Amino acid sequence: IQEFVGCPNRSKATQQRIENAAKDTALIPLLDRPVGDTKATEIFEVIRNGGVATNVFLRRFHNFAMELGWLHKAILTKSYWPKVVYSPKVAITADQHKAIIQREANLERRAYYQLCWFIGGSNSDMALLRAENIDWERRTVTFIRKKTKATCHQAFGSECADILRTLPSNGPLFPYLATVRESDRATEFKQRCEGLGIEGVTLHSYRYAWAERAAIAGMPERFAQAALGHGSKAVHRAYARGAELHVPSLEEMTEARRQAIEKARIEE
């Protein structure tokens, strides 16, 4: 595992995730076992006792051992690895967000949650935003995602602008939150949800909510991808699959077009 963590092509954030994954108690039965002596039945047992991350990272550890030649052949071939089953992705609702904001007494944290709602950024990306990321002339927020290094461009409206004006005009927008660990920000948010009886929602739920709202509003997918920093349509569709779209009838579309043409004619 230490060899896996120490690969030079891994970012610091990825190394941290791997180190955290190595602390998974479900992996304990394998930690003192020589890699070459590990049996398929032991892997099945560990995955049964663990969670999604156990399956994902154990598979990555196995593939890394294959690449380095520590294993002469796979313990489990790709088709025999247990399927990774993720829990349903839950978007935070407008009512839940409103309840959290109304109860939050800390001004910096309240503004942070509000910006997550308007921009849909991830935990760290929002906390690490700086005043320099804001272009007031074009009314856009631009930043590079910490996880994927993808560039996000997002325009903001008047409500979001009101929030941004309350934040520092130079340096970090969230001076305190930028200094704490990602896990601590997540824990603080979880505590607030628990206090309000809100279940199944995390800070990442703001990203799902933004994508769903964008889909409902009819935003072109390429624009939503640019805003969220997704490089894959498949990834974006996974975020937006909870959106309940109203598909208008052909009659509605035709009437809307007729009214638009009539309005344009009158204005001329």
Side-chain angles (χ1 to χ4, degrees), residues 151-170:
T151 301
C152 302
H153 301 278
Q154 190 163 157
F156 55 83
S158 57
E159 288 187 70
C160 184
D162 290 341
I163 302 301
L164 291 172
R165 289 191 184 98
T166 67
L167 301 175
S169 57
N170 56 71

Side-chain angles (χ1 to χ4, degrees), residues 58-132:
L58 187 56
R59 188 186 304 232
R60 291 179 65 179
F61 295 152
H62 172 272
N63 293 343
F64 181 69
M66 288 287 294
E67 291 173 1
L68 291 188
W70 294 347
L71 291 172
H72 297 296
K73 70 175 192 176
I75 301 171
L76 281 177
T77 58
K78 184 176 180 180
S79 60
Y80 280 94
W81 275 93
K83 184 178 179 180
V84 177
V85 181
Y86 293 96
S87 58
K89 307 303 181 185
V90 179
I92 187 169
T93 67
D95 288 341
Q96 290 171 334
H97 170 66
K98 183 178 179 180
I100 292 169
I101 293 304
Q102 289 178 338
R103 189 173 181 180
E104 182 56 61
N106 182 281
L107 296 181
E108 180 178 338
R109 197 173 285 111
R110 183 195 302 167
Y112 171 66
Y113 297 151
Q114 288 174 306
L115 213 57
C116 286
W117 175 261
F118 285 116
I119 296 180
S122 65
N123 181 331
S124 292
D125 290 338
M126 292 295 92
L128 298 177
L129 279 179
R130 301 177 63 85
E132 294 76 16

Side-chain angles (χ1 to χ4, degrees), residues 120-185:
S122 65
N123 181 331
S124 292
D125 290 338
M126 292 295 92
L128 298 177
L129 279 179
R130 301 177 63 85
E132 294 76 16
N133 295 121
I134 305 171
D135 185 333
W136 283 102
E137 183 178 344
R138 294 183 174 83
R139 293 175 73 86
T140 59
V141 176
T142 303
F143 59 93
I144 297 175
R145 288 206 64 202
K146 182 179 178 182
K147 180 179 179 182
T148 64
K149 306 306 178 185
T151 301
C152 302
H153 301 278
Q154 190 163 157
F156 55 83
S158 57
E159 288 187 70
C160 184
D162 290 341
I163 302 301
L164 291 172
R165 289 191 184 98
T166 67
L167 301 175
S169 57
N170 56 71
L173 294 184
F174 305 104
Y176 167 71
L177 292 174
T179 64
V180 303
R181 296 181 304 174
E182 180 176 318
S183 58
D184 291 336
R185 290 190 294 268

Side-chain angles (χ1 to χ4, degrees), residues 189-224:
F189 182 74
K190 181 180 179 181
Q191 291 170 344
R192 279 145 183 79
C193 289
E194 290 175 344
L196 291 165
I198 299 173
E199 299 181 354
V201 168
T202 67
L203 274 175
H204 213 65
S205 296
Y206 278 107
R207 285 181 69 74
Y208 304 135
W210 193 99
E212 290 184 9
R213 288 173 14 240
I216 292 170
M219 178 180 285
E221 190 171 37
R222 68 182 184 280
F223 292 162

Side-chain angles (χ1 to χ4, degrees), residues 223-245:
F223 292 162
Q225 282 181 289
L228 291 180
H230 287 161
S232 164
K233 287 187 176 181
V235 174
H236 178 66
R237 284 172 183 148
Y239 274 93
R241 64 176 175 232
E244 296 182 3
L245 301 178

